[in-house]
Each structure stands twice: as structure tokens, then as C-alpha cells.
Amino acid sequence: MALFGNAHTIDPGKAAHEYARLLGQGEQVYGAYQLIRDAILLTDKRMIMIDKQGMTGKKVEYHSVPYRSITHFAVETAGHFDLDAELKIWVSGSGTPIEKTFTKGVDIYEVQAILSQFVAR
């Protein structure tokens, strides 16, 4: 499904090991999703979006969104004809949401539960 540009679940432990240099001391990965070369990590402190750029992917941009900056979010579940689930996150200071698409194989309720747990603090 990566060819269609949709995120799929990856093991949080493997993601924590692969991206250990990005994590703060004691920071834990609760959810991890792969999108072709890019990735999304949901930790106990923030959402990290990894954007590999260019043909080789050597240039990488890391976006870190602390949960306290998220004003609200929305999830849209997959349907019978629309096989993708969507996540929209609004960050303070920005009028347009960050939008991510997930394959039907991703439990969007799990993504929503992780965000609910940490955004509501």
C-alpha cells in the first residue's frame, strides 16, 4: 500500500530503535507508521514526522509537534468504497491542519486513543 502513499503500522519498538537519536531521555514510542520513506511516531511527549527528501533520501526533515500545541484533531474511518482512514491535526498558530492518510489495515481508533491520551493532559 506504500505505493499509493498511505501509512501502515510499524512496530513501535523497532521504530524507537531506528530513530533513537530523535528521542529524549526516557521518551517512549507508543505508535509508529511508515509512509514509503517517511514515518510518523507518536511518543508519550510529542508527534514526530520524518520527511525524507530528494531521490536518495539523504536529506531528512524532522517535524516535532508537542502535544500541548495540538488544539484539536479529527479521525475519519475507512468505509466500504473509501478504503483509507484519515487523521487531521490542528496546531496552534496554523489555520490549516496537518493531514495524514492511513490504509484500512491501520487501526485508526488506536491512533485516536494515543492522541487522546496525551493531548488531553
Side-chain angles (χ1 to χ4, degrees):
M1 291 305 289
L3 294 176
F4 297 107
N6 298 327
H8 63 276
T9 303
I10 56 176
D11 179 70
K14 289 181 182 177
H17 179 72
E18 182 176 347
Y19 297 107
R21 292 174 42 178
L22 298 177
L23 302 175
Q25 185 175 2
E27 188 172 9
Q28 295 181 343
V29 177
Y30 281 79
Y33 308 93
Q34 189 71 44
L35 173 61
I36 304 177
R37 297 183 304 174
D38 300 342
I40 302 166
L41 306 179
L42 299 175
T43 77
D44 56 337
K45 301 187 185 310
R46 60 198 164 129
M47 179 177 71
I48 303 169
M49 294 173 288
I50 297 110
D51 179 16
K52 294 186 179 180
Q53 301 174 356
M55 294 292 290
T56 63
K58 286 188 176 199
K59 183 177 180 180
V60 181
E61 186 171 47
Y62 301 98
H63 295 269
S64 179
V65 180
Y67 292 128
R68 68 180 177 274
S69 297
I70 297 174
T71 59
H72 67 284
F73 62 91
V75 294
E76 181 180 304
T77 61
H80 290 292
F81 299 108
D82 181 10
L83 300 178
D84 302 325
E86 295 179 11
L87 170 67
K88 294 179 184 177
I89 297 176
W90 284 264
V91 178
S92 60
S94 177
T96 56
I98 298 167
E99 297 184 44
K100 298 296 177 184
T101 303
F102 298 83
T103 62
K104 192 171 185 176
V106 171
D107 183 358
I108 196 68
Y109 294 108
E110 177 183 288
V111 175
Q112 189 271 337
I114 293 169
L115 286 172
S116 292
Q117 179 180 358
F118 297 113
V119 170
R121 284 186 177 177

